[in-house]
Amino acid sequence: MTTVGIDLISFYTPQYFLDLKTLAEKRGVDFNKFYTGLGQEKMAIPPPDEDIVTMAASAARPILDQTDPSEIELLLFGTESGVDQSKAAAMFAHGLLKLPTRCRGFEVKEACYAGTAALQLAIPWALRNPGKKALILASDIARYDLNSPGEPTQGAGAIAMLVGVNPRIMAIEPESGLYASDVMDFWRPNYRDEAVVDGKYSMRVYIAALEEAWRQYHALSGRGLADMARFCYHLPFTKMAEKAHVRLAKTAGVANLSPEDMEHQMGESLHYNRITGNTYAASLYEGLCSLLDNCTKDLAGKRVALFSYGSGCMGEFFSGILQADYRKHLYSAAHKNLLDNRTELTYQQYEDVFQLGCPTDGGDHTFAQYRTGVYRMKGISQHKRLYEALT
Ligand code: COA
């Protein structure tokens, strides 16, 4: 039987971070509110010469290094933080990654659900084009107002996934539970750089979406919680996923989950998000990378449950089967190296970068060089973003 799904998956996050202890001290709150209450320790801060395009291209580079670009005929870019109202971030990435002209590329949006929207669009396409691959990019910078409740849940990062038939990492199963509803829990009007969020309401809608999507998935597949080896959730902050998992278990008839059960079922998926913060469209798949990189047990042949949530809102519960030898195809060492070698910022440096913004005057601007991935934004000229590859 032909399987279809994630053939390769790679993660990138900026190389600067703010420790939430530093933020807590500045804001005059107990850091345990962030560390324990939200389950977040650090948030990634992109330098001024890095954006969603450079992060996505840096995430994709390791995949392109071992893939024939002419195989890639679909390029989907999921993001909440698009850099242009008209031109798709996919086309900027297409240029940086030197993909062939025979390629269909566009941007996909539905808040943090955009990565899943792209993945699910690519699956039937891949089945129809078995010799070809889709490249899915999901990249975001989570930004809230300074001194707002959302501030400690900021972050940044990108995921790149190669999708095709007979995948090396994970075959996606056909059943999905879906939940679409027109709500205002988190949004970002075109004139704002920072998202507006009704955080408590968003948490309630997330749970409602999960419960309904799970019920549908269960009805369609006949599977229960015991059929899942691990669970990955959309991660606005890791405590949200823990709350969601407790609720899912209750909905599925498991009254009491022990701390050991929780750790076993989802603990490994939370490591990366806890130290990068929210990566919006990338966050579910960052969680999947965290699970695959940090789980010492071989999960080949096992099922992983995935819950994607994007405010506004769209929820989807689906699942995938890890493939034999999936561990040979992970970028675990590169992810570890990236996360272990980041530079910590002071509060003032964080605020300076936050306040900088992007020049909007149409003049010529050259950006100083910071630590970035293999791509950076070298400036803006005549309202055009100028990118460069560093290798
Ligand atoms: N030690 C340990 N825990 C503490 C604490 C302390 N000193 N002080 C507070 N806490 C806990 C609270 O009890 C709460 O936990 P609970 O929900 O389990 O009760 C948690 O820390 C957060 O505190 P709270 O007062 O609820 O935080 P807040 O009102 O400042 O905001 C969010 C929290 C999540 C609502 C806010 O950060 C937000 O809106 N984030 C954005 C969320 C988002 O992105 N949503 C959209 C996508 S899904």
Side-chain angles (χ1 to χ4, degrees):
M1 195 187 74
T2 305
T3 56
V4 61
I6 303 170
D7 190 44
L8 291 172
I9 182 166
S10 164
F11 171 64
Y12 177 81
T13 188
Q15 297 173 45
Y16 298 89
F17 71 89
L18 183 72
D19 195 304
L20 292 184
K21 281 186 181 166
T22 307
L23 185 67
E25 192 182 344
K26 188 72 187 174
R27 299 288 177 245
V29 302
D30 178 356
F31 76 86
N32 286 312
K33 174 175 175 181
F34 301 158
Y35 268 52
T36 311
L38 297 176
Q40 294 302 115
E41 295 178 13
K42 299 179 170 98
M43 56 191 196
I45 312 287
D49 58 339
E50 204 158 50
D51 68 2
I52 56 155
V53 173
T54 64
M55 290 193 301
S58 293
R61 190 67 256 162
I63 292 178
L64 267 294
D65 287 345
Q66 59 179 114
T67 304
D68 175 358
S70 70
E71 286 181 5
I72 298 173
E73 285 195 6
L74 182 62
L75 176 66
L76 302 182
F77 198 123
T79 187
E80 181 272 0
S81 26
V83 294
D84 193 284
Q85 298 281 42
S86 178
K87 178 169 171 169
M91 303 331 294
F92 289 109
H94 181 278
L96 278 180
L97 296 170
K98 297 189 172 25
L99 294 179
T101 51
R102 183 174 165 74
C103 183
R104 182 180 288 137
F106 55 96
E107 193 169 307
V108 180
K109 178 163 70 179
E110 184 6 58
C112 307
Y113 175 74
T116 301
L119 174 63
Q120 293 289 17
L121 276 175
I123 283 174
W125 176 91
L127 284 169
R128 248 179 95 168
N129 297 274
K132 301 295 175 186
K133 296 281 196 299
L135 181 62
I136 307 299
L137 304 174
S139 181
D140 265 316
I141 298 171
R143 234 177 113 88
Y144 299 96
D145 287 324
L146 291 178
N147 217 348
S148 69
E151 186 183 31
T153 65
Q154 296 175 114
I159 278 285
M161 294 185 275
L162 199 65
V163 171
V165 294
N166 303 319
R168 285 170 280 185
I169 305 286
M170 177 185 264
I172 301 294
E173 295 184 294
E175 300 86 1
S176 270
L178 300 170
Y179 181 91
S181 178
D182 177 8
V183 294
M184 295 299 279
D185 58 330
F186 162 107
W187 66 104
R188 189 164 66 81
N190 288 345
Y191 49 83
R192 278 183 65 97
D193 288 334
E194 291 79 35
V196 187
V197 59
D198 183 343
K200 303 280 185 204
Y201 177 50
S202 190
M203 292 169 72
R204 290 198 299 277
V205 185
Y206 180 122
I207 296 284
L210 170 65
E211 288 181 318
E212 172 61 19
W214 162 259
R215 278 189 206 102
Q216 287 177 23
Y217 173 87
H218 172 63
L220 287 167
S221 68
R223 295 179 201 120
L225 289 199
D227 294 305
M228 315 291 169
R230 296 289 188 281
F231 295 79
C232 293
Y233 289 88
H234 165 52
L235 298 167
F237 48 98
T238 64
K239 197 60 179 286
M240 180 71 238
E242 290 175 356
K243 285 176 188 287
H245 194 57
V246 169
R247 181 59 73 94
L248 176 67
K250 279 201 180 116
T251 306
V254 180
N256 287 311
L257 276 183
S258 70
E260 293 74 27
D261 290 339
M262 290 284 289
E263 180 55 31
H264 175 75
Q265 292 173 11
M266 63 182 309
E268 295 123 340
S269 72
L270 306 180
H271 294 195
Y272 290 173
N273 182 275
R274 199 188 300 279
I275 57 172
T276 67
N278 194 356
T279 55
Y280 289 167
S283 98
L284 170 63
Y285 302 96
E286 175 186 356
L288 177 60
C289 279
S290 180
L291 164 66
L292 301 181
D293 292 349
N294 291 293
C295 183
T296 51
K297 197 166 169 246
D298 185 356
L299 296 177
K302 304 278 190 209
R303 178 175 290 108
V304 176
L306 300 151
F307 177 65
S308 184
Y309 177 76
S311 291
C313 78
M314 188 62 227
E316 179 162 350
F317 195 104
F318 61 113
S319 57
I321 304 288
L322 289 166
Q323 301 299 287
D325 294 333
Y326 74 94
R327 296 209 282 188
K328 286 188 188 153
H329 304 291
L330 300 174
Y331 299 107
S332 310
H335 296 157
K336 181 170 170 23
N337 188 41
L338 174 67
L339 290 164
D340 286 352
N341 290 292
R342 298 184 297 166
T343 302
E344 182 171 355
L345 299 184
T346 63
Y347 175 81
Q348 197 52 52
Q349 288 170 322
Y350 152 67
E351 191 172 328
D352 288 349
V353 172
F354 187 96
Q355 302 282 18
L356 206 57
C358 221
T360 56
D361 60 9
D364 296 331
H365 300 272
T366 304
F367 296 163
Q369 187 161 350
Y370 293 85
R371 292 184 65 201
T372 63
V374 285
Y375 300 98
R376 67 181 290 273
M377 186 162 61
K378 65 181 177 185
I380 291 192
S381 173
Q382 314 296 305
H383 295 299
K384 292 175 192 161
R385 285 175 177 251
L386 306 175
Y387 294 104
E388 66 180 347
L390 298 176
T391 52

